[in-house]
Amino acid sequence: AVMRRSDAAGPATNPGYHDGRVTGTSHRGHPAALWEFTWNGFSAADGPRHTYDLCWEQNGRMYDVWVSAPVGKVREAKEYFDVAVDTFDSA
């Protein structure tokens, strides 16, 4: 629900927001949501960005792993995102 609200607010919070989608998934057995979108970026100098954001609740805490990269580096960003998610330790 948190990610769906963030997606709905995307155009207001992320200038140029488009191609947003939230997908239900899991992370180490916990229900999770993956939010993926493209937007104008932090500044004109930075240029458009693509973002991956995984959110889940574990032991009463909300966790969120976010990676945002220039649109031209989407493949590399996904690789970094996957490593961050796979190696994240909440202990």
Side-chain angles (χ1 to χ4, degrees):
V2 169
M3 296 303 244
R4 295 214 187 276
R5 285 192 302 270
S6 295
D7 178 49
T13 58
N14 300 288
Y17 182 87
H18 64 281
D19 298 333
R21 65 181 173 270
V22 176
T23 307
T25 186
S26 65
H27 178 69
R28 296 188 180 160
H30 301 280
L34 174 63
W35 179 27
E36 190 175 343
F37 62 94
T38 303
W39 59 300
N40 289 351
F42 300 105
S43 72
D46 290 334
R49 302 184 71 80
H50 191 79
T51 298
Y52 298 94
D53 186 358
L54 181 71
C55 183
W56 72 97
E57 187 176 329
Q58 183 176 338
N59 300 324
R61 286 194 166 159
M62 182 77 68
Y63 292 93
D64 187 68
V65 176
W66 164 296
V67 170
S68 183
V71 169
K73 301 280 186 176
V74 171
R75 192 183 89 248
E76 293 95 328
K78 183 67 165 85
E79 290 172 7
Y80 283 112
F81 177 76
D82 289 344
V83 169
V85 168
D86 290 345
T87 60
F88 182 84
D89 185 3
S90 62

